Amino acid sequence: MKMTGAQIICECMAREGVEVIFGILGGAVLPLYDTLPQYPQLRHVLVRHEQGAAHAADGYARVTGKVGVCFATSGPGATNLVTGIANAQLDSVPMVAITGQVATPFIGKDAFQEVDITGITLPITKHNYLARDAASLAKTVREAFLLARTGRPGPVLIDVPRDVFQEEAEFNYPSKVAPAGYKPTLQGHPTQIKKAARLINEARRPVILAGRGILISRASAEVKYLAETAQIPVVTTLLGISSFPESHILNFGMGGMHGMAYANMANSNADVIIAIGMRFDDRFTSRVSGFAPGARIIHIDIDPAEIGKNVRVDVPIVGDVKTVLDALNKLIEPTQHIDWFEQLDLWRKEHPSTYIRNSNGILPQYVVRKIYDVTEGNAIITTGVGQNQMWAAQHFWYDKPNQFVSSGGLGTMGFGLPAAIGAKIGCPDETVWCIDGDGGFQMTLQELGTIAQERAAVKIAILNNGYLGMVRQWQEMFYERRYVATPLSGPDFVKVAEAYGISGLKVTEKEDVEPAIEKAMAEDGPFLLDFRVEPEENVYPMVPPGEAITEMMEEPREAIKVLTDSAKLPTSNI
Ligand SMILES: Cc1ncc(C[n+]2csc(CCOP(=O)(O)OP(=O)(O)O)c2C)c(N)n1
Ligand SMILES: [Mg+2]
């Protein structure tokens, strides 16, 4: 059967099970949009800026585990996607982006709205294509989805010249595609798995480092089995949050620059580290020479390029996390580590890390904790970047996989709001809160228009400190309080929301925090809360850049004497 290039793309997307596409159209991509009505199963969500399309597709992909899809036109449409594509690349998020390109005869002529988007995105995509003819499109689209979701997931871009959308070709759907040279290793090497099991069985102070690879591979149950059987504490990375239930007795919180003090102490004193689906990012290890000096390291990851990249590894295991753990768990002997847990519990008591001091003003940590209390932990949280992100990571406990959606690798301010749209569309029955900073929110707040048009019931909490807070914190600590360019004005966010037809409330008193969150929850649609929080509150603990992870700055002891009512401290019962 003959079809146009645009029809072939839509047909392939329908066969891939695509439900939603985020995008903005323009001349080059118009033939593709004109075909969409023939495929009513493909819902299109019109965003207000292409960065929003990529982040929404990213948020959708993280919460559903499916490939997120976005469309943009040539030139500025395509370049506006770039930040969102890089974001997906650094956090290993499956995404397919289709960009329109000027018609084939105009390529290379600096035609109107022409940019070399495959050149631009080469280093920030898992793979990209410039489609040359309609006949090869089915294979290209099929390959793109395969590459995006298998192995280590990532973004794939297909650039399609306008005439290729319009060209007719015979539609041949390949039953299978096998991109040249692409064959991710799924099974771990049996000898390495045996070595790892021996190390784990002999360990006295083991620690599991749980990363996003566990969420991608859906291996939470396998990690739980390993942790429970061999009684191993679990420390997560920022993106590993929710891969292991945070209220589980063996959960020792997030490690790294703003991780729990006791989590970093556990890492530093471990004799065996089992790193699962994580990549020893510098925000996690801090100074590498000071990272886990006495530990033998087992590293399980599907991407061989990650092994030995940042830290030396004693037992590398390349493979799919779930598949490897299935094999490894069969060799694990039930054990207890009584002395180790006594030590860990002591550290946890001495360095509580998630206490919130009493204060008359609104502490941002208190807002996050109240969102946790009111939702009873049943919410997907998307975040901005900066202090708000760290408080959202520290003061909410995430028990279900993919509850925490945050820009880890690229650290993209402006991610929170569009990612929340994608998450809500992906999981319409879940409560979705976007916890953002006043700076990051101003980077993509135009997506309130998308929320209004789509009636996406996203709840928004702006931790409004009037600063580019995280940078101000660095200036306070390392630049003698020279607050250059960090004080930040903003609009009246409630009025902005209202201008978009979205209700909201400004919250200036501590006693109004909880009722305001309850009001937002009671509302059927979207709701915005503008919390005027203590402007110079800092994120603790903090490992100063360049230091070893044990060199943590903690909140002064006297400040944490008084606890808020809901502060809780999990302790192991061993
Ligand atoms: C797009 C982008 N630009 C700049 C930065 C550098 N940066 C990191 S955190 C931060 C401040 C964020 O301010 P805000 O959104 O108000 O959050 P807060 O830290 O105050 O909670 C900045 C500017 C970034 N991460 N992303
Ligand atoms: Mg701020």
Side-chain angles (χ1 to χ4, degrees), residues 17 33 36 104 152 159 188 206 227 247 288 312 337 371 403 478 501:
Y33 272 80
L36 278 178
T104 312
R152 178 179 183 168
D159 195 27
S247 55
V288 174
R312 49 157 190 95
H337 300 287
I371 294 175
Q403 253 190 293
F478 313 120

Side-chain angles (χ1 to χ4, degrees), residues 229-267:
T229 308
Q231 287 293 303
I232 307 177
V234 178
V235 170
T236 70
T237 65
L238 177 77
L239 291 187
I241 285 178
S242 86
S243 66
F244 186 79
E246 290 209 305
S247 55
H248 194 288
I249 224 149
L250 294 172
N251 190 304
F252 276 71
M254 173 177 79
M257 179 178 272
H258 293 294
M260 304 296 100
Y262 47 84
N264 285 341
M265 293 167 109
N267 285 346

